[in-house]
């Protein structure tokens, strides 16, 4: 059969990993992945057998006591972070993805399905493939009734992230992986039910997350049915009750695509990987990841930023001068608190996700007079110099959380304790992708060596 390939018009300079073309293929995600797996298995076999002894770095005492920062110690397929340039998904930068990944009908932003396809397969999907995946996700979106009853029984005073983690863990009752494992499935086939679970979980996350939102913030309102002709985030927005706000829906699409993956060492992705390495099923693994995301130094920072910016706004009023912001930043730092939304474990420049969200705002007239977005922008002009003068943080620049929640607030989505749940819907794309690859590549149990301080001192003495 003659298959015509269409090279996408924009070819980036550094796109080493991805087959940067959209083929006319109508192969499903599962079929595409099945084609890619043998190549990757062979690549891993060679790395192990031919290069297993190559040294890629030293381990210093400062790495061991410093949160393993800088250690090159994990395999992660879908994305790699450069400290200065930021994230690349299979070699593609965020602007590359914005140019090439299919969007929703009537929309312009990247959608979760096209990002998921890229992360899982390393290939840019066709529009048809993306639509096929949207339909599959919509068809698998309903929650089992016992999970609905479980989340409905939770007190609305329980943080939405705790509720999300509970709901995701409970979905494991129907895990295909767990059932197949119990029946004695061969290791080489683990990836198949793992993929099934991952797709099912990604499909159900918006329904679960929207149910939590309704229970906590809009009690007594009923959710519309899942629309089989909509993309995942289009449905999520609908279920939340914001479906008629096109701009907010587009923002959610971009937000969820961009937060999908940030290589493997971040706390949520790493947690999913660690738990998954014990052969816990994807629901349990991702539930654990959500509780890492719920910490204020990680995903919860997007709620903290809004709280902090609103407190700043209340204190300085309408006079949002650089000097007033600077004084508020110093007050935060002298109070012994971190400036939320600034700094990063790896990045050493402004986060390109922050830039992409700022560009989203800059391209829309409604943000030019938005008090909260103007305050975020002005803060980002002042904070780096203040943090440099403060002299502690290795990265004084804004990360993605510096604006992500504030844009939601602008749109009237003001329930800030819910914001990290949206991040949790997104991070599944990357964390679950890696679980599929971990099983397809037969990666082992993760179990690093630890030392006590006494044992470290002994090692130090021995090294002299
Ligand atoms: C999606 C995400 O997870 S992005 C990150 C979201 N988190 C935030 O925005 C919270 C604010 N930022 C921070 O707390 C940090 O920058 C982190 C947690 C993101 C990274 O932490 P680290 O890798 O340890 O940063 P770094 O090496 O620069 O830290 C050195 C010192 O600077 C401090 N520092 C780092 N960032 C900040 C900040 N934004 N405000 C004040 N102090 C800071 C650290 O607390 C540390 O102080 P210590 O020596 O007293 O412990
Ligand atoms: O990479 C990190 O450590 C934190 C982060 O930005 C993310 O997980 O999105």
């Amino acid at each position: 059969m003659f298959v015509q390939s269409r090279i996408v018009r924009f070819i980036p300079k550094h796109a080493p990993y991805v087959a940067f073309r959209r083929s006319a293929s109508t192969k499903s995600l599962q079929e595409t992945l099945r084609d890619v797996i043998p190549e990757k298995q062979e690549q891993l076999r060679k790395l192990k057998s031919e290069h297993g002894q190559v040294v890629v770095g030293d381990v210093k005492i400062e790495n061991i006591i410093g949160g393993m920062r800088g250690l090159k110690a994990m395999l992660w397929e879908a994305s790699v972070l450069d400290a200065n340039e930021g994230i690349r998904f299979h070699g593609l930068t965020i602007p590359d993805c914005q140019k090439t990944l299919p969007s929703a009908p009537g929309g312009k932003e990247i959608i979760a399905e096209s990002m998921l396809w890229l992360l899982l397969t390393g290939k840019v999907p066709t529009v048809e493939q993306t639509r096929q995946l949207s339909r599959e996700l919509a068809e698998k979106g309903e929650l089992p009734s016992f999970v609905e009853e479980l989340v409905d029984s939770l007190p609305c005073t329980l943080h939405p992230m705790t509720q999300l983690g509970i709901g995701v863990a409970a979905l494991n009752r129907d895990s295909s992986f767990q059932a197949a494992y119990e029946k004695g499935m061969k290791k080489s086939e683990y990836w198949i039910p793992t993929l099934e679970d991952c797709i099912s979980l990604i499909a159900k996350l918006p329904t679960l997350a929207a149910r939590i939102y309704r229970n906590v913030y809009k009690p007594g309102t009923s959710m519309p049915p899942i629309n089989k002709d909509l993309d995942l985030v289009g449905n999520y927005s609908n279920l939340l009750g914001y479906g008629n706000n096109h701009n907010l829906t587009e923002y959610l699409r971009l937000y969820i695509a961009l937060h999908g993956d940030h290589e493997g060492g971040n706390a949520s992705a790493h947690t999913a990987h660690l738990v998954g390495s014990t052969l816990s099923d994807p629901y349990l693994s991702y539930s654990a990841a959500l509780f890492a995301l719920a910490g204020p130094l990680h995903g919860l920072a997007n709620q903290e930023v809004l709280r902090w910016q609103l407190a700043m706004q209340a204190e300085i009023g309408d006079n949002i001068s650089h000097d007033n912001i600077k004084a508020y930043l110093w007050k935060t730092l002298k109070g012994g608190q971190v400036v939320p939304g600034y700094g990063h474990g790896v990045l050493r420049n402004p986060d390109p996700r922050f830039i992409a969200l700022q560009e989203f705002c800059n391209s829309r007239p409604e943000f030019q007079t938005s008090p909260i977005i103007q305050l975020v922008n002005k803060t980002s002009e002042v904070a780096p110099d203040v943090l440099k003068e403060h002299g502690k943080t290795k990265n004084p620049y804004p990360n993605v959380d510096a604006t992500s929640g504030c844009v939601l607030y602008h749109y009237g989505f003001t329930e800030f304790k819910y914001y990290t749940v949206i991040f949790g819907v997104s991070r599944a794309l990357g964390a679950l992708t890696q679980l599929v690859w971990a099983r397809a590549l037969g990666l082992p149990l993760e179990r690093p060596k630890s030392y006590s301080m006494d044992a470290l001192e002994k090692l130090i003495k021995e090294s002299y």
Side-chain angles (χ1 to χ4, degrees):
M1 191 177 72
F2 176 71
V3 179
Q4 197 183 17
S5 291
R6 179 162 73 85
I7 308 284
V8 175
R9 75 196 132 86
F10 177 81
I11 301 189
K13 248 191 337 190
H14 316 282
Y17 315 118
V18 77
F20 204 71
R21 60 181 63 209
R22 278 192 205 153
S23 75
S25 170
T26 52
K27 278 188 176 171
S28 71
L29 182 67
Q30 289 79 351
E31 289 164 337
T32 309
L33 202 51
R34 203 177 270 280
D35 287 350
V36 181
I37 284 174
E39 279 168 44
K40 289 274 190 182
Q41 286 173 332
E42 178 56 13
Q43 191 182 3
L44 185 82
R45 193 196 60 73
K46 277 199 175 151
L47 277 170
K48 230 156 104 175
S49 63
E50 295 173 21
H51 308 289
Q53 299 308 308
V54 173
V55 176
V56 294
D58 299 321
V59 182
K60 301 198 178 83
I61 300 287
E62 69 176 14
N63 303 127
I64 297 173
I65 60 183
M68 296 193 276
R69 211 70 84 258
L71 275 194
K72 296 170 188 142
M74 277 184 84
L75 186 68
W76 196 265
E77 278 307 288
S79 66
V80 178
L81 183 65
D82 177 89
N84 295 308
E85 287 189 353
I87 197 68
R88 282 176 184 267
F89 308 102
H90 286 281
L92 301 189
T93 62
I94 290 169
D96 297 337
C97 290
Q98 288 174 308
K99 285 190 181 93
T100 58
L101 290 180
S103 41
K108 285 204 295 213
E109 303 302 334
I110 313 169
I111 54 172
E113 290 84 341
S114 50
M115 180 54 85
L116 174 63
W117 194 293
L118 172 66
L119 293 176
L120 262 170
T121 68
K123 295 186 189 307
V124 173
T126 60
V127 172
E128 298 71 37
Q129 287 174 319
T130 314
R131 301 283 172 266
Q132 232 179 68
L133 182 55
S134 291
R135 178 158 279 270
E136 180 179 351
L137 294 173
E139 278 164 3
K140 294 179 173 166
E142 298 293 342
L143 297 175
S145 54
F146 87 95
V147 173
E148 291 180 343
E149 285 156 24
L150 175 70
V151 293
D152 293 353
S153 74
L154 297 173
C156 63
T157 47
L158 191 61
H159 193 284
M161 275 304 275
T162 317
Q163 299 201 29
L164 187 67
I166 290 170
V168 168
L171 285 168
N172 101 312
R173 186 200 65 175
D174 300 333
S175 166
S176 301
F177 175 80
Q178 206 179 76
Y181 189 84
E182 273 176 25
K183 284 193 190 127
M185 168 177 249
K186 283 195 292 209
K187 187 175 175 185
S188 60
E189 288 171 4
Y190 285 173
W191 73 270
I192 301 167
T194 300
L195 177 63
E196 221 175 280
D197 282 352
C198 291
I199 295 295
S200 170
L201 175 52
I202 289 167
K204 289 176 175 55
L205 272 170
T207 330
L208 175 62
R211 194 167 189 100
I212 293 166
Y213 180 74
R214 297 257 182 182
N215 284 346
V216 176
Y217 302 107
K218 313 272 175 197
T221 60
S222 59
M223 292 209 296
I226 295 169
N227 179 345
K228 302 278 176 354
D229 296 321
L230 260 185
D231 62 299
L232 188 81
V233 180
N235 263 311
Y236 184 25
S237 187
N238 243 353
L239 297 175
L240 288 166
Y242 293 108
N244 54 8
N245 186 337
H246 176 73
N247 288 343
L248 173 55
T249 304
E250 279 284 276
Y251 175 67
L252 287 170
R253 287 179 175 128
L254 179 65
Y255 178 124
I256 287 172
L258 291 188
H259 286 71
D261 202 32
H262 215 233
E263 70 169 30
N266 69 77
S268 50
H270 189 182
T271 303
H273 183 67
L274 170 67
V275 177
S277 82
T278 70
L279 298 187
S280 264
D281 64 64
Y283 301 100
L284 293 182
S285 306
Y286 194 60
S287 166
L290 287 167
F291 294 125
L293 194 65
L297 296 187
H298 190 22
L300 203 81
N302 71 56
Q303 99 169 30
E304 292 305 292
V305 167
L306 179 64
R307 239 158 40 95
W308 178 76
Q309 293 273 207
L310 290 177
M312 180 195 284
Q313 198 175 47
E315 185 156 317
I316 69 181
D318 293 337
N319 184 11
I320 55 166
S321 66
H322 282 169
D323 283 348
N324 281 341
I325 295 173
K326 201 170 165 180
Y328 195 84
L329 281 156
W330 277 114
K331 187 176 154 189
T332 303
L333 291 166
K334 285 183 179 155
Q337 292 157 37
V338 294
V339 174
Y342 286 78
H344 199 272
V346 183
L347 281 168
R348 294 297 174 256
N349 257 331
D351 187 338
R353 297 171 298 178
F354 172 79
I355 294 168
L357 297 186
Q358 267 203 321
E359 280 167 3
F360 178 92
C361 294
N362 291 341
S363 68
R364 288 169 162 77
E366 70 263 25
F367 287 104
Q368 308 320 311
T369 52
S370 161
I372 191 71
I373 296 304
Q374 292 314 311
L375 188 59
V376 166
N377 288 347
K378 280 226 160 64
T379 304
S380 73
E381 288 159 14
V382 180
D385 282 343
V386 171
L387 285 165
K388 279 182 205 163
E389 199 180 329
H390 184 241
K392 268 188 166 187
T393 173
K394 294 190 186 69
N395 170 19
Y397 301 108
N399 61 58
V400 69
D401 294 322
T403 192
S404 54
C406 299
V407 180
L408 293 169
Y409 186 81
H410 164 86
Y411 278 126
F413 194 149
T414 55
E415 298 90 355
F416 60 86
K417 285 199 172 176
Y418 186 80
Y419 292 174
T420 313
V421 169
I422 302 172
F423 197 158
V425 170
S426 164
R427 186 47 54 96
L429 303 177
L432 296 177
T433 286
Q434 181 63 21
L435 279 185
V436 174
W437 278 105
R439 300 291 81 82
L441 296 172
L443 297 185
L445 178 78
E446 189 174 284
R447 204 311 187 180
K449 175 82 189 90
S450 65
Y451 286 101
S452 65
M453 286 195 274
D454 288 347
L456 282 180
E457 281 172 357
K458 191 160 171 271
L459 277 183
I460 294 164
K461 275 191 202 125
E462 285 164 8
S463 75
Y464 289 121

